[in-house]
Every structure is written in structure tokens, then in C-alpha cells.
Amino acid sequence: MTKFLLSLHVIAAIVAIGPVTVAASMFPPSARQALAEPGSERAVSTVRLLHRICRVYAGLGIAVPVFGLATAGAMGVMGDPWLITSIALTVIAAIVLVVLVLPRQEEILDGLLDGLGDTAAAGAGAGAISASASASASVSASDPVPPRTATVTNPKATVQLAMFTGIFNVLWAVVTVLMIVRPGSTTGA
């Protein structure tokens, strides 16, 4: 039974976490490309697809700790430090994904989608800070730039998202190493 559970755990990790790490890593440069090509439905479609992959596979990723805990229980290693550390890092990675990565992807995507409809009105498109600022200024000098537009036109948004995505990926890499090496384990490597 242990080998079966371990197989399910590893397969779930490969099938669920792998696509999230790849799609989340591809999102920031794809978003920058979409910002550089205002009005490009193809560029926005790519960003939309990457965000959808992240959301769907993040949900499927719940199977990874479920099978992992079942495997650990069957192996009798629930109290081992390597496993406790892995669980803690998995929780942190999930929080980073749900609180820092996915919402920022959503904001950027919403801004890009708004920009598709506003490209004619904004002149230079959603990617140009000055065009968005001048479009806002023409409406009213006292109205601030809407938060979504400000996020998408701020080049730091994709850089910050890339940083959070990198943190998420490093956490999963450390968990993977801990699962393979299992420091201090008496069950063998």
C-alpha cells in the first residue's frame, strides 16, 4: 500500500505542481509582451491561458499533500523533522501561490483585458503609462488612475510577480529535495 500511495503522491506532484510552476514562471514575461503589444488579442490570450493553467492546477495540487500525508502515515514518518519541514514549506508555498501570485496575475490580466477595449481611446494602448495617465487626465484632473489600470501600466507589477513566482518555485524545489534526500530518515533513501 505504501508504494501505491507514494506513486500517487509523486504522480500528483508531477501532474499538478509541474504545470503551475511552469505556467506561473511564463506569466510575467508573457504579460510584459502583452503590454508591449497593446491591443494584441493573441498576447492577451496567452496570458489568459497561463493564468487559467495556474488556477486549475493549483486546485488539483491539493491532491499532493493529501497523498503525501497518507504516504507518510503508512510509512510511519509523521514526526520526522524532514517531513515536518516539508509540510511547513508546502503550506508556505500554497500561501504564496494563493495570496501573492494568483491575485496579481488576475489584476494584470484584468488590466490587459480592459486595455483591449481601451486601445483606441488610449492612443498608445494599455502598456503605455503616459497614455493611460493622459487619458485619465482628460476625463478629470482630480480623478486618479483606476487601481487595475495603474497595476497593469506599472512595469514593476510583472517584476514583483516574477519575484513571488520565484519564491513559490524555490519552495517547491526545496520540498522536492527534502522528499528525495529525507535527512535523518531511518527508512532509507
Side-chain angles (χ1 to χ4, degrees):
M1 185 63 153
T2 301
K3 290 182 181 183
F4 176 70
L5 288 172
L6 181 59
S7 297
L8 289 176
H9 174 60
V10 170
I11 290 169
I14 292 167
V15 170
I17 306 303
V20 173
T21 58
V22 172
S25 296
M26 291 174 63
F27 188 96
S30 295
R32 283 190 288 274
Q33 181 178 358
L35 289 169
E37 301 172 11
S40 170
E41 288 189 34
R42 180 180 171 144
V44 174
S45 293
T46 299
V47 173
R48 183 185 302 126
L49 175 63
L50 292 170
H51 178 62
R52 186 178 311 132
I53 290 168
C54 290
R55 277 187 300 120
V56 169
Y57 283 92
L60 294 175
I62 294 169
V64 176
V66 169
F67 289 131
L69 290 171
T71 303
M75 292 175 66
V77 295
M78 288 296 283
D80 286 6
W82 65 269
L83 183 66
I84 294 168
T85 303
S86 294
I87 291 169
L89 293 175
T90 298
V91 168
I92 294 168
I95 291 169
V96 168
L97 181 64
V98 171
V99 174
L100 300 173
V101 174
L102 293 177
R104 281 172 174 75
Q105 286 183 349
E106 187 79 31
E107 289 174 4
I108 292 170
L109 180 58
D110 286 348
L112 289 170
L113 291 171
D114 289 348
L116 276 179
D118 296 342
T119 52
I129 296 171
S130 60
S132 296
S134 64
S136 296
S138 66
V139 172
S140 169
S142 63
D143 290 341
V145 176
R148 273 198 315 212
T149 305
T151 298
V152 77
T153 58
N154 182 352
K156 291 182 180 178
T158 60
V159 173
Q160 187 180 48
L161 176 59
M163 177 189 69
F164 291 134
T165 301
I167 291 168
F168 171 77
N169 291 342
V170 166
L171 288 168
W172 274 113
V174 172
V175 168
T176 302
V177 170
L178 284 172
M179 291 288 149
I180 294 168
V181 175
R182 299 185 296 183
S185 174
T186 58
T187 59

